Structure formats: structure tokens, C-alpha cells
Amino acid sequence: MTAVQGTAVDIPTDDGTADAYLTHPGDGSPHPAVLLYMDAFGLRPQLMSMADRLAEAGYTVLVPNVFYRHGRAPVVELPEFIDPGARPEIFERIGPVMQTLTPEPAMRDAGAYLRWLADSPAAADGPIAVTGYCMGARLALLTAGTYPERVAAAAGFHGGRLATEAPDSPHLVAGDVTAELYFGHADEDPSLPVEQMERLEQALTAAGVRHTCEVYSGARHGYTQADTASYDRAGDERHWAALLDLLKRTF
């Protein structure tokens, strides 16, 4: 197993400074970069562990706190294990923060993350990959469409609101995407009903985007997050296999 080196970093943006976690193989060489977008619960040990697993596979991984405008992580204090009883109180605090991260500021931030990676000695030259979870799946798709010259692959897992009827819905960037995309939908996810899955599939197909959309049977929203009651081991391992396969094809 590859030894990895993880550290806290600060990323200058147009609106301030985003705190982030950077991890990479500890061999001193540059490696292909992956931008990992957090779920709504934010930058925390669970996501750092996931980033480290990617680094062990040979990648340089950046996990920004996309809620940095509201403070450094953790923006909202979380229990070690997030059970259903804790969710209402957590989302009462997180909900208003999430609503402020509209596509415009989120994509300004994405540009800052991409510039930072381009300048990082730990990241290899060339395009990057993006993966995102929950709300991060939306950010991954938007980033692929906003910065097509920089993003070679993007993945999203248990993403919500990917293809709504809103004028800024993420699926509307499909025509600008040049990356290969992968989405692992949870079939027990009220934030992505079947009609949105179909709308996303239709948009990607019509735009000629190389993509795979799969529905994970029996999986709930958050199935990759081992510090929550939504975790599903089978779904999580399926996600890792799909993500690593996408990265191997990309780099």
C-alpha cells in the first residue's frame, strides 16, 4: 500500500480563503490530480479518509471546504456518527448555508481550486478528474461543464437535484462537457426522483457526452459515507470500483 502525505492547505479565492485538505503519495513526485467535492456534512475525517484512499491509488487529491464563506471546517459541529435522529438539527443549520452556494460563486471557486492545483508541485501537468458526493455531485457536473479544457473525467455519487426544471440546473451544462462522466444514483433517494434521472440521461445523450449512469439498488442517499446511518458497504465498494476504473481510463 502506498504511503500518503496529507496536510491542511489554504486556497485563495475571489471571495476569501478556502481551507482544504490535500493528500498525495509520499514519494515526492507529481501525480494526476483529483478534485473531491464534499457532501453537505462538509470537510471532516470521513472525507479525508476517502481522499487518502484515492491517494493510495496514486492520485493527488484536493478536498476544499466549499462552505468557507461561513467559516473554516467544521462549519457545523457534527457527531462522530450521524444517525437519523441527528439529521433534522444538522440540516436546520446546514440548509441555509447550502442555499447560498449557487452555481455562480461555486464555479468562481472551482476556478480557484483548478488554478491552485495547476500550480501545485504535487499535481501532475495536464487535465484533472472531479468526483463529488451528495451536493458535490452537482458541483462536479457544473465544473466539468464550466471548465471543459481542464476536466477530463467527472463522477457523482448519490447526487441530488442534478436535473431539475430550474434555469440553473446542473444538467443544462451538458452541451459544454468534454469529459467522460459517471453517476452512481441511489434508488432510494428522494432528492433525485426517476424523472430527474431520465432528464439527466436524456441531456447527456443528446449532447453526445461519454457517460454512464447507474442506479444502485437498495442504496440510500449518502451510501458512501461510513460515518452516517445511510452507509451501504456494497454500494460503497461498487462506487470505489467505478471511480477507480474511470480514473484509470482518464490518466
Side-chain angles (χ1 to χ4, degrees), residues 11-191:
I11 302 173
T13 76
D14 291 345
D15 298 328
T17 300
D19 52 309
Y21 178 69
L22 178 73
T23 182
H24 53 85
D27 58 8
S29 300
H31 292 268
V34 179
L35 175 60
L36 191 158
Y37 278 125
M38 62 187 227
D39 62 357
F41 295 130
L43 180 55
R44 62 194 192 283
Q46 165 64 21
L47 292 185
M48 295 177 186
S49 175
M50 294 174 72
D52 286 344
R53 181 165 174 175
L54 281 176
E56 289 171 357
Y59 302 100
T60 290
V61 188
L62 181 68
V63 192
N65 167 25
V66 302
F67 293 156
Y68 71 88
R69 293 174 181 81
H70 300 269
R72 299 180 72 85
V75 174
V76 173
E77 292 295 333
L78 299 170
E80 288 188 12
F81 184 79
I82 303 169
D83 61 32
R87 282 177 175 266
E89 182 180 351
I90 293 171
F91 275 100
E92 184 176 351
R93 291 175 286 164
I94 290 179
V97 175
M98 292 176 62
Q99 291 174 8
T100 65
L101 193 66
T102 58
E104 183 179 355
M107 290 305 97
R108 285 202 308 271
D109 292 344
Y113 307 147
L114 294 174
R115 288 191 298 272
W116 193 91
L117 281 169
D119 292 337
S120 172
D125 293 338
I128 72 155
V130 186
T131 185
Y133 303 84
C134 176
M135 56 169 275
R138 296 201 302 275
L139 298 178
L141 177 52
L142 287 168
T143 301
T146 305
Y147 300 95
E149 73 287 353
R150 291 284 287 122
V151 179
F157 299 92
H158 49 81
R161 299 183 59 78
L162 292 173
T164 71
E165 296 181 351
D168 59 357
S169 176
H171 79 287
L172 297 176
V173 305
D176 297 318
V177 172
T178 58
E180 180 177 351
L181 304 185
Y182 177 91
F183 291 97
H185 305 316
D187 73 341
E188 298 180 14
D189 190 349
S191 70

Side-chain angles (χ1 to χ4, degrees), residues 151-244:
V151 179
F157 299 92
H158 49 81
R161 299 183 59 78
L162 292 173
T164 71
E165 296 181 351
D168 59 357
S169 176
H171 79 287
L172 297 176
V173 305
D176 297 318
V177 172
T178 58
E180 180 177 351
L181 304 185
Y182 177 91
F183 291 97
H185 305 316
D187 73 341
E188 298 180 14
D189 190 349
S191 70
L192 193 74
V194 172
E195 57 266 26
Q196 286 196 41
M197 294 183 191
E198 293 175 347
R199 186 179 293 132
L200 175 63
E201 175 71 34
Q202 291 166 2
L204 297 177
T205 299
V209 177
R210 292 169 298 150
H211 71 281
T212 302
C213 295
E214 297 184 318
V215 179
Y216 288 26
S217 178
R220 293 176 289 175
H221 184 82
Y223 63 80
T224 64
Q225 302 301 306
D227 61 348
T228 77
S230 297
Y231 180 69
D232 178 81
R233 182 176 297 277
D236 185 32
E237 289 306 314
R238 181 178 174 183
H239 132 263
W240 279 113
L243 177 57
L244 291 172

Side-chain angles (χ1 to χ4, degrees), residues 1-5 24-27 55-56:
M1 184 174 294
T2 303
V4 303
Q5 180 179 343
H24 53 85
D27 58 8
E56 289 171 357

